[in-house]
Amino acid sequence: MLSKKNQLLTVLCIGALWGPATSQTSIQLSPKESSVLISKHIYGHFAEHLGRCIYDGFYVGEGNTTIPHTNGVRNDVLSALKELKIPNLRWPGGCFADTYHWKDGIGPKGSRPSIVNNWWGGVTEDNSFGTHDFLNMCELLETEPYLAGNVGSGEVQELADWVQYVNFEGRSPMSDLRRANGRDRPWNVKFWGVGNEAWGCGGHMTAAYYSDIYRKYATFMSDWSNTGGLYRIASGANSADYNWTETLMQKLPKNLVKGIALHHYAVIDWNKKGSAIEYTDEQYFKTMKSAWFMNELVEKHSAIMDKYDPKKEVALVVDEWGGWYEVEPETNPGFLYQQNTMRDAMIAGMTLNIFNNHAERVKMANLAQTINVLQAVILTKGEKMIKTPTFHVMEMYKVHQDAQLIPLQINSQSFVWNGEEIPAVSASASKGQNGKTYVSLVNIDPKVAQKVELNLGGSYAGVSGRILTAKQLRDFNDFDDANRIQPQAFSGAKLSKERLSLSLPPFSVVVLELNGKK
């Protein structure tokens, strides 16, 4: 039984007082049981030609005189994304990718043909942001590009030429064209998506038909060294379409595929997605339930992959995930612009914990999307830029990138709504290359604090941490108050030999750093 004091009061280091009930969760860490690395590529991002993600988000144009930029890319955006240490960036889509013809986006900008974005808002784009612009931006960001190839409306030769254009160092028609356009050395792009959502906007194909199409396109995407250097990623399942994964694993030869994609969004109801900021308690629960479904999806898709790939040589690549709501009032419905509250911080923390804990199979993921679209980490408005709660979660979690996974077992109390329940607490842990141990914890319950007891599997000399929470669940950062929600120091964790205890406030994310192992 908890004391009345603990039932009545949880004191945060940031000075806020909470008065909810408290439940208890236990976690057992097993630091000696794993050699699995949490790939940094799990923390990837996604930039589609959609709404204000590229134009007015990343790119404001070389002639802009009011917003500081480098070759047209906003300097504040570059700085913020480098703070996250983003490991990869997916482009140009999404659904847009299967309508995009890359040769329209190279050469003198004044000579590039325009394109109508049929998928997102019907706007006309001038192709001023193309292959050179994106790949040079990735160099500025010190991140790896992930190019999504056009399989839906493009031809095999078109994709083969793109690979040659960006990767071939010797003399060839495409590398000569690249040099004529001002780039001598290749970019050596490793990650390639062979189409996107082939079951839907990428062509409404069957799994069997797409498998044959994939084999054809992938065959002509040469790396010229025959070393398997290209990381080809197949268009994978829509959420719980397990037959799609089964078919691909049966039909795709391992020498042609490095990853199978998976797309899943936390959505209340696809026909009535609800507001990003004015949601009910019931809608909050349903969003969390949809987000937690990612755990089941990863486990079931992984089990299918294990049958055909027991050595786990093919990665599960969750290259679209995040929360999806109705657009903000008075914005273009095709632009998918939404605000970002503490609900989104809960989605991010929970989902990244799921990916970390399944890092043996999940080796890459991409949050949708980076700027001004869906669950963005950055929002822009003219000269102003803000970091969302999701940004702060990903910044706190970057300590897990390329760290050694520490397996854990968790016995969580439940978050209950109208007889339905999901775990209130999620967690993941790792040992960084600096020798320190990190534990990330999320309490999604909006009203009940969680007393957490951890058996660390070893003794540590000290613990520190940071917390992300807010006064209200529906709080968000806006252009009038950009720092309403941001991480604060957390000193509420108590360390005693191999045990650690703390109280997680409602709707909070905590990342702990343990050092000085004895």
Side-chain angles (χ1 to χ4, degrees):
M1 293 291 291
L2 296 174
S3 68
K4 291 183 178 180
K5 180 179 179 181
N6 281 340
Q7 290 176 340
L8 294 175
L9 183 65
T10 301
V11 181
L12 288 179
C13 61
I14 57 177
L17 299 180
W18 297 82
T22 305
S23 297
Q24 183 159 334
T25 291
S26 61
I27 302 175
Q28 171 70 55
L29 272 61
S30 300
K32 298 180 181 179
E33 293 184 6
S34 174
S35 59
V36 175
L37 290 182
I38 299 172
S39 172
K40 66 180 181 180
H41 290 293
I42 284 173
Y43 291 80
H45 293 262
F46 178 25
E48 183 169 8
H49 284 244
L50 198 174
R52 296 191 302 111
C53 183
I54 299 297
Y55 300 105
D56 199 37
F58 280 98
Y59 185 72
V60 293
E62 289 90 333
N64 192 293
T65 59
T66 59
I67 300 173
H69 63 84
T70 301
N71 298 325
V73 179
R74 295 179 65 126
N75 289 342
D76 52 2
V77 165
L78 291 171
S79 177
L81 295 180
K82 289 180 75 172
E83 183 183 353
L84 290 185
K85 295 184 177 179
I86 69 168
N88 68 77
L89 185 60
R90 183 176 179 235
W91 177 84
C95 292
F96 182 82
D98 282 300
T99 65
Y100 182 67
H101 301 284
W102 68 270
K103 290 181 182 177
D104 293 342
I106 60 173
K109 297 197 176 189
S111 302
R112 297 179 188 180
S114 61
I115 182 175
V116 176
N117 194 329
N118 293 324
W119 284 107
W120 307 117
V123 297
T124 300
E125 300 184 11
D126 63 4
N127 271 313
S128 58
F129 189 89
T131 295
H132 287 250
D133 308 277
F134 174 71
L135 296 180
N136 291 341
M137 182 180 75
C138 285
E139 290 185 334
L140 292 173
L141 288 168
E142 299 175 4
T143 193
E144 289 201 56
Y146 170 13
L147 293 179
N150 183 346
V151 170
S153 68
E155 300 296 331
V156 173
Q157 187 66 54
E158 182 177 8
L159 183 52
D161 282 350
W162 204 13
V163 177
Q164 187 182 101
Y165 186 88
V166 302
N167 280 4
F168 190 56
E169 188 170 9
R171 294 296 303 274
S172 73
M174 290 300 104
S175 58
D176 287 349
L177 180 60
R178 181 189 70 236
R179 292 185 181 96
N181 287 327
R183 174 78 181 201
D184 180 34
R185 57 189 176 85
W187 290 278
N188 297 318
V189 176
K190 175 181 178 181
F191 297 111
W192 291 85
V194 185
N196 168 77
E197 294 189 357
W199 41 264
C201 62
H204 288 98
M205 306 178 195
T206 65
Y209 180 77
Y210 170 70
S211 295
D212 289 339
I213 290 290
Y214 176 94
R215 293 164 68 112
K216 181 179 179 181
Y217 277 74
T219 296
F220 290 94
M221 296 170 65
S222 176
D223 66 353
W224 297 283
S225 63
N226 294 317
T227 61
L230 294 186
Y231 198 105
R232 301 176 185 87
I233 299 169
S235 173
N238 176 22
S239 197
D241 185 352
Y242 301 113
N243 176 69
W244 190 278
T245 299
E246 185 101 37
T247 302
L248 265 57
M249 291 302 295
Q250 286 176 338
K251 293 177 69 69
L252 299 187
K254 287 183 183 177
N255 66 314
L256 290 180
V257 63
K258 292 286 190 179
I260 302 289
L262 170 66
H263 290 180
H264 174 70
Y265 289 91
V267 179
I268 298 169
D269 182 334
W270 281 107
N271 295 315
K272 193 175 181 180
K273 295 184 282 291
S275 168
I277 58 177
E278 296 177 353
Y279 46 89
T280 65
D281 289 349
E282 180 180 16
Q283 288 174 321
Y284 174 74
F285 177 85
K286 287 182 176 180
T287 305
M288 291 300 101
K289 184 179 179 182
S290 182
W292 176 243
F293 186 51
M294 180 69 80
N295 189 69
E296 180 178 325
L297 290 173
V298 168
E299 290 182 346
K300 288 187 175 181
H301 284 289
S302 295
I304 293 169
M305 297 174 76
D306 286 347
K307 291 193 300 180
Y308 304 93
D309 177 35
K311 294 182 179 180
K312 295 178 170 55
E313 296 174 325
V314 179
L316 183 60
V317 178
V318 190
D319 57 13
E320 289 188 30
W321 67 271
W324 194 321
Y325 320 115
E326 302 294 349
V327 302
E328 294 303 306
E330 300 180 3
T331 65
N332 188 320
F335 283 10
L336 305 187
Y337 177 79
Q338 64 188 40
Q339 250 297 353
N340 198 287
T341 72
M342 282 300 300
R343 173 171 63 171
D344 298 284
M346 299 299 98
I347 294 173
M350 176 198 292
T351 303
L352 292 171
N353 282 339
I354 292 169
F355 294 160
N356 288 348
N357 289 326
H358 294 90
E360 192 172 17
R361 178 65 77 180
V362 180
K363 299 176 183 177
M364 190 170 180
N366 299 81
L367 175 68
Q369 291 186 8
T370 315
I371 308 175
N372 295 329
V373 172
L374 299 177
Q375 191 174 342
V377 294
I378 290 171
L379 301 178
T380 64
K381 182 180 181 182
E383 299 175 30
K384 296 182 179 181
M385 184 206 80
I386 60 174
K387 302 171 182 177
T388 68
T390 299
F391 177 99
H392 292 306
V393 172
M394 298 201 81
E395 189 279 323
M396 292 167 70
Y397 272 55
K398 68 185 180 184
V399 295
H400 292 303
Q401 292 188 22
D402 281 346
Q404 181 179 326
L405 174 68
I406 297 177
L408 57 78
Q409 291 182 325
I410 183 169
N411 181 15
S412 171
Q413 296 296 307
S414 294
F415 170 28
V416 181
W417 179 266
N418 284 349
E420 295 185 83
E421 60 183 58
I422 54 177
V425 177
S426 70
S428 62
S430 69
K431 182 179 180 180
Q433 296 178 5
N434 58 6
K436 296 181 179 181
T437 293
Y438 298 96
V439 182
S440 51
L441 301 150
V442 181
N443 176 19
I444 64 171
D445 196 306
K447 298 179 180 178
V448 181
Q450 303 291 326
K451 181 175 174 58
V452 181
E453 297 285 342
L454 296 97
N455 187 331
L456 302 172
S459 297
Y460 294 85
V463 60
S464 60
R466 290 194 295 162
I467 184 170
L468 188 74
T469 189
K471 293 181 179 179
Q472 303 292 332
L473 175 66
R474 294 161 183 82
D475 283 350
F476 54 88
N477 294 333
D478 58 28
F479 296 100
D480 295 323
D481 191 352
N483 296 313
R484 181 180 291 117
I485 301 172
Q486 58 183 326
Q488 305 286 343
F490 179 78
S491 59
K494 307 302 179 184
L495 185 63
S496 177
K497 295 182 179 179
E498 295 191 5
R499 305 193 72 84
L500 185 146
S501 62
L502 70 153
S503 182
L504 286 177
F507 60 92
S508 65
V509 178
V510 169
V511 176
L512 301 174
E513 178 183 298
L514 296 154
N515 50 63
K517 190 169 184 179
K518 297 180 180 179

